[in-house]
Amino acid sequence: MTLIDRYAVFGHPIKHSKSPRIHRLFAEQTAQSLEYTAKDVPAEQFQAAVATFFTEGGKGLNCTVPLKELAWNYADHKTERAQLSKAVNTLALQPDGSILGDNTDGIGLVTDLTANYRIALSGIRILLLGAGGASRGIILPILEQSPQTLVIANRTVDKAVKLAAEFHGKGPIAGCGFDDLNDRQFDLILNATSASLSGQLPPLPSGLLAENGNCYDLAYGNEPTAFVRWGLENHAAKSLDGLGMLVEQAAEAFFIWRGVRPKTRPVIEMLNSERRL
Ligand code: ATR
């Protein structure tokens, strides 16, 4: 008897996760036989739930908020991008029985920007708003694109400065507060604060976005986020949200697990057609 390969996403809450749908569409498209489910796992049950999953034959897991740091701790070994991001969104069972931890969020964002929207990151001035977990996860893949500069701006200035310092030696990166943004201009502004989800915006000076510059909110929703609206009001060439990043990070996880790269465009188009942007 052949058992079907099992995958899952753990999170808390998890009800609205699009990951099962995305991975099932990938499996269908690439004719891979697998099962992908979602499970609500509170942080205090994480360790036991993951151990049970892999003991019972699970092949790979996605972990989302608030479990990414716990997944980082759980992994036996990690990729460099996961190591530096201190968060893991993908666990993969290895042939020797060990568990590899990776973080595909950053490469998901970079692929959405560069491949889907043709926004080249090399040589441009990038501003990253926020210095929490979401920011940390994307910094290395962005620096690997060789931007002219990557500035992290945060409400708590100290956190931005410290986060930037962790990546010194990996590229031109600096941290500052929102007050330090006056008279500066950027070609791409990325919003990784959690403010957008509650309809709030960091205080951003007018003139911050360069002519023909672009905006990208790592969050997404059925309606344009507050930051996507800010981008439109400030004449962004493109003002995008993170739906494409979600699909691209999933595709990268699928590739890690299955060695097959699914086509993301039809999945992004399908999810996009189901909302009212
Ligand atoms: P996540 O894992 O989503 O990044 P987090 O680690 O709690 O969550 O970080 C949230 C980020 O959003 C932080 O950079 C936070 O700023 P502080 O470090 O100063 O707390 C930022 N943030 C949240 N609400 C904000 C608001 N109303 N204005 C500006 N920044 C905000």
mmCIF file of all heavy atoms in Angstrom, residues 3-6 52-60 93:
data_model
loop_
_atom_site.group_PDB
_atom_site.id
_atom_site.type_symbol
_atom_site.label_atom_id
_atom_site.label_comp_id
_atom_site.label_asym_id
_atom_site.label_seq_id
_atom_site.Cartn_x
_atom_site.Cartn_y
_atom_site.Cartn_z
ATOM 1 N N LEU A 3 1.241 5.107 0.854
ATOM 2 C CA LEU A 3 0.580 6.169 1.594
ATOM 3 C C LEU A 3 0.803 7.484 0.871
ATOM 4 O O LEU A 3 1.876 7.731 0.337
ATOM 5 C CB LEU A 3 1.171 6.262 3.006
ATOM 6 C CG LEU A 3 0.813 5.120 3.955
ATOM 7 C CD1 LEU A 3 1.526 5.300 5.271
ATOM 8 C CD2 LEU A 3 -0.697 5.065 4.168
ATOM 9 N N ILE A 4 -0.218 8.333 0.892
ATOM 10 C CA ILE A 4 -0.101 9.636 0.241
ATOM 11 C C ILE A 4 0.822 10.534 1.080
ATOM 12 O O ILE A 4 0.810 10.466 2.311
ATOM 13 C CB ILE A 4 -1.512 10.255 0.048
ATOM 14 C CG1 ILE A 4 -1.428 11.450 -0.883
ATOM 15 C CG2 ILE A 4 -2.147 10.625 1.367
ATOM 16 C CD1 ILE A 4 -2.768 11.794 -1.502
ATOM 17 N N ASP A 5 1.666 11.326 0.418
ATOM 18 C CA ASP A 5 2.568 12.236 1.133
ATOM 19 C C ASP A 5 1.763 13.348 1.803
ATOM 20 O O ASP A 5 0.934 13.999 1.161
ATOM 21 C CB ASP A 5 3.593 12.845 0.167
ATOM 22 C CG ASP A 5 4.627 11.817 -0.261
ATOM 23 O OD1 ASP A 5 4.700 10.741 0.376
ATOM 24 O OD2 ASP A 5 5.365 12.093 -1.221
ATOM 25 N N ARG A 6 2.063 13.575 3.083
ATOM 26 C CA ARG A 6 1.263 14.537 3.852
ATOM 27 C C ARG A 6 2.035 15.814 4.153
ATOM 28 O O ARG A 6 3.201 15.777 4.574
ATOM 29 C CB ARG A 6 0.806 13.897 5.171
ATOM 30 C CG ARG A 6 -0.234 12.810 4.984
ATOM 31 C CD ARG A 6 -0.529 12.123 6.304
ATOM 32 N NE ARG A 6 -0.853 13.104 7.332
ATOM 33 C CZ ARG A 6 -0.333 13.093 8.567
ATOM 34 N NH1 ARG A 6 0.527 12.163 8.921
ATOM 35 N NH2 ARG A 6 -0.676 14.010 9.437
ATOM 36 N N THR A 52 4.618 14.976 16.520
ATOM 37 C CA THR A 52 3.607 13.983 16.141
ATOM 38 C C THR A 52 3.427 13.940 14.629
ATOM 39 O O THR A 52 3.373 12.861 14.025
ATOM 40 C CB THR A 52 2.248 14.323 16.809
ATOM 41 O OG1 THR A 52 2.461 14.403 18.218
ATOM 42 C CG2 THR A 52 1.188 13.291 16.497
ATOM 43 N N PHE A 53 3.378 15.120 14.021
ATOM 44 C CA PHE A 53 3.176 15.202 12.569
ATOM 45 C C PHE A 53 4.260 14.417 11.819
ATOM 46 O O PHE A 53 3.965 13.610 10.933
ATOM 47 C CB PHE A 53 3.163 16.672 12.134
ATOM 48 C CG PHE A 53 3.028 16.861 10.654
ATOM 49 C CD1 PHE A 53 1.786 16.762 10.035
ATOM 50 C CD2 PHE A 53 4.146 17.130 9.864
ATOM 51 C CE1 PHE A 53 1.658 16.924 8.654
ATOM 52 C CE2 PHE A 53 4.022 17.297 8.488
ATOM 53 C CZ PHE A 53 2.778 17.188 7.886
ATOM 54 N N PHE A 54 5.517 14.662 12.198
ATOM 55 C CA PHE A 54 6.602 13.985 11.480
ATOM 56 C C PHE A 54 6.696 12.507 11.868
ATOM 57 O O PHE A 54 7.006 11.664 11.036
ATOM 58 C CB PHE A 54 7.933 14.714 11.691
ATOM 59 C CG PHE A 54 8.046 15.975 10.856
ATOM 60 C CD1 PHE A 54 8.100 17.230 11.447
ATOM 61 C CD2 PHE A 54 8.090 15.899 9.468
ATOM 62 C CE1 PHE A 54 8.198 18.393 10.668
ATOM 63 C CE2 PHE A 54 8.183 17.046 8.683
ATOM 64 C CZ PHE A 54 8.239 18.293 9.288
ATOM 65 N N THR A 55 6.409 12.185 13.112
ATOM 66 C CA THR A 55 6.438 10.775 13.541
ATOM 67 C C THR A 55 5.397 9.971 12.781
ATOM 68 O O THR A 55 5.609 8.802 12.439
ATOM 69 C CB THR A 55 6.140 10.671 15.060
ATOM 70 O OG1 THR A 55 7.032 11.530 15.733
ATOM 71 C CG2 THR A 55 6.320 9.257 15.571
ATOM 72 N N GLU A 56 4.275 10.622 12.500
ATOM 73 C CA GLU A 56 3.194 9.909 11.806
ATOM 74 C C GLU A 56 3.347 9.941 10.287
ATOM 75 O O GLU A 56 2.399 9.678 9.557
ATOM 76 C CB GLU A 56 1.844 10.487 12.236
ATOM 77 C CG GLU A 56 1.526 10.147 13.697
ATOM 78 C CD GLU A 56 0.188 10.705 14.163
ATOM 79 O OE1 GLU A 56 -0.416 11.511 13.421
ATOM 80 O OE2 GLU A 56 -0.234 10.330 15.268
ATOM 81 N N GLY A 57 4.518 10.342 9.815
ATOM 82 C CA GLY A 57 4.790 10.231 8.381
ATOM 83 C C GLY A 57 4.675 11.513 7.586
ATOM 84 O O GLY A 57 4.774 11.489 6.356
ATOM 85 N N GLY A 58 4.446 12.660 8.264
ATOM 86 C CA GLY A 58 4.380 13.941 7.565
ATOM 87 C C GLY A 58 5.700 14.243 6.869
ATOM 88 O O GLY A 58 6.765 13.885 7.369
ATOM 89 N N LYS A 59 5.612 14.883 5.693
ATOM 90 C CA LYS A 59 6.830 15.155 4.909
ATOM 91 C C LYS A 59 7.275 16.610 5.023
ATOM 92 O O LYS A 59 8.472 16.908 4.904
ATOM 93 C CB LYS A 59 6.563 14.858 3.425
ATOM 94 C CG LYS A 59 6.263 13.391 3.147
ATOM 95 C CD LYS A 59 7.552 12.619 2.958
ATOM 96 C CE LYS A 59 7.325 11.259 2.346
ATOM 97 N NZ LYS A 59 7.364 10.184 3.305
ATOM 98 N N GLY A 60 6.327 17.528 5.193
ATOM 99 C CA GLY A 60 6.707 18.936 5.239
ATOM 100 C C GLY A 60 5.633 19.785 5.871
ATOM 101 O O GLY A 60 4.444 19.479 5.782
ATOM 102 N N LEU A 93 11.203 17.357 5.878
ATOM 103 C CA LEU A 93 11.843 16.108 6.313
ATOM 104 C C LEU A 93 12.927 15.736 5.309
ATOM 105 O O LEU A 93 12.686 15.710 4.095
ATOM 106 C CB LEU A 93 10.793 14.993 6.380
ATOM 107 C CG LEU A 93 11.306 13.617 6.793
ATOM 108 C CD1 LEU A 93 11.755 13.606 8.263
ATOM 109 C CD2 LEU A 93 10.220 12.553 6.576
#
